[in-house]
Amino acid sequence: MKYFLLYVGTGPQIEAVKQSLKRLDAKAVESAFARAPTWEIDHPMLQGRLLEVTLLTDLDGITPHLRHFPVDLLIYDERPAGNEPAIEARAAVKKIRDDVAMFAELWGPDFLFPMSRVVAILRSGSKSDVARSLELGRVQVRDVIIDPPATAQLLRWIFRVIESRRTDIQKLHETNDKPRAGIAFSGGGLEGFLFQLGCIYALERALDKENGRELRDAGIYSGVSSGSIMAAMGAGGVPTQEVIKALHGKSEFLPPLSSKVLFDVAGVDIAKRIGFQSLSWSGLDPQKWVNKIFRAFPTGFFKGEALKKYFKNAVEAFNYKDSFLGRTDGVELYIGATDQDSFEHVVFGKPPWDDVAVSDALRASCALPPFFMPAQIKGRWFVDGQITKSCNVDLLIERGCQLVFIVDPLKPYGTLIPGSVDKLGGIYSTIQAIKALVSTRFHITLTHLTERYPDVDFLVFQPDEECAELMSGSPMRYRIRTKIVKLAYEHTMRQLRERHQVYQTKLGKYGFNLLPAMKLLELERDDAQFFKSLD
């Protein structure tokens, strides 16, 4: 496997590094980043690992490089060379951290670069070497070495740093021809599901299946809330294009995925609940009547049973069982839901919750109050999984995934126009507030996981501003289905083109191959006809 290093130091220090690389028989390779000479090292000390080292002298050039090129390890060398002084490592790391955080706010969570991918080479001779090392450790810098006397020692240190943070599960699965990859879906109501459809369709189309793995080779699926539908469909072998067609009643294999399937009104259950409360005597106490009104309010307006039945029929149409157990294709599926009484996050697909039907788990995970009624499984009542967890990314890492695709549609629409949200009323304001809360939780969780697992590559796909604006109203709108799917597809294709070098390199490490940027543009033009045919 190839690892990408960015080596930052003074001009004379970089020249010294070049001479060391030549002595190691490293070969210069052409770099698309004009200002940065790049070398490839294949040395016995690396035990089969390839290092591609890009040399940089400008601290301000780090974030532009990170934006367009992959970096597995950033090495900052504070040692002076010649008469040119170097910026002290503590000051340099602070600037790197601040710049990365600023651009992550601008470019989104897909740009997160953890400080645990940064190491520092310190000059010797200072009495405060230990104190400075500890201070760098407090800001999550991965490791420090003090003035290595020889290139061989530096190379051994780099190899040790690379190996030190990979988990035992990752090391086990890395011996296979295909390192593990997974896909995590968060929720977002019907609109979130539509965004996920468009995003996944774009990813499926963008991968070169003739010269690499296809998306379904990411054999571990995880979903919460409406993301559980997408995860279950993917694990169940249901083609994404057929699901998109089914939304418009044009699939040859699936029945129409109509609003009646998604929103089956729980009329009988609502009537029973209201009837029971109205028949119970409360006397003349006003407080008791208020309590009765609250209790009479339904826990859900829709049953969700039609969706459960639809999924069961869909996977069986493609010769899959509605079960977590007994799979022979190696695909794993996990669905998160929330216990309504204890507010514990339960993962179906893991023991002791792996003996239930997938359709039951899906139904439970999508039970968003007050839209859908709670689901009862094994004597417990479950509601929407996203109430307690935005996305089960950590579960995929525990299962040994080194590459994780994350599709997170629940992003609030932000505007700089004061009073815009207030003008649209209380319901709109509440929905936006919920989206902001869940989105903030997701961002904090992802930042933590990125720092904790620096050797895991995350590819994050979220709505752009145009998509977020279209999805900013009720999460249960059905009539704009084609537009959301199409916008999500176009946005994903554009994201893959804009950071093509980063995505291609990350995917290539795990056996996937991204089509050339111009080919992606051609595909997008061709697929415009497909979306047009759905209207």
Side-chain angles (χ1 to χ4, degrees), residues 29 159 201 251 256-257 313 335 337 398 413:
V29 295
F159 176 76
Y201 183 58
S251 172
L257 186 51
N313 293 335
I335 292 175
E398 290 173 8
Y413 172 63

Side-chain angles (χ1 to χ4, degrees), residues 370-521:
F371 297 104
F372 289 93
M373 297 177 61
Q376 187 178 20
I377 300 177
K378 295 169 71 171
R380 293 170 66 176
W381 293 90
F382 293 95
V383 290
D384 195 290
Q386 203 162 39
I387 292 173
T388 45
K389 219 166 195 183
S390 300
C391 201
N392 277 318
V393 179
D394 51 342
L395 176 62
L396 300 185
I397 299 172
E398 290 173 8
R399 297 299 303 143
C401 291
Q402 295 168 267
L403 173 68
V404 180
F405 299 86
I406 302 174
V407 188
D408 174 49
L410 203 62
K411 178 183 175 182
Y413 172 63
T415 175
L416 297 177
I417 303 174
S420 298
V421 173
D422 186 69
K423 289 178 182 177
L424 293 171
I427 294 178
Y428 180 91
S429 176
T430 302
I431 291 171
Q432 285 292 90
I434 292 171
K435 285 185 177 183
L437 285 170
V438 176
S439 181
T440 301
R441 183 178 66 186
F442 168 76
H443 188 85
I444 292 171
T445 301
L446 183 60
T447 301
H448 167 71
L449 291 174
T450 302
E451 289 289 356
R452 185 179 177 187
Y453 302 102
D455 297 300
V456 176
D457 285 309
F458 300 97
L459 301 184
V460 185
F461 299 91
Q462 290 183 314
D464 62 1
E465 290 306 307
E466 186 179 7
C467 264
E469 182 179 12
L470 183 64
M471 299 163 62
S472 62
S474 167
M476 295 298 163
R477 287 180 294 175
Y478 181 78
R479 57 182 176 80
I480 55 172
R481 57 196 183 280
T482 304
K483 194 170 183 181
I484 292 178
V485 175
K486 184 173 183 291
L487 277 179
Y489 168 86
E490 292 171 347
H491 166 59
T492 305
M493 282 293 196
R494 185 165 59 250
Q495 184 174 335
L496 293 173
R497 290 199 310 272
E498 288 176 353
R499 299 192 69 197
H500 190 276
Q501 181 74 18
V502 172
Y503 288 123
Q504 168 54 33
T505 306
K506 284 186 177 182
L507 290 166
K509 287 164 62 176
Y510 306 100
F512 298 92
N513 191 32
L514 189 63
L515 290 168
M518 289 305 298
K519 181 62 177 175
L520 295 180
L521 189 59

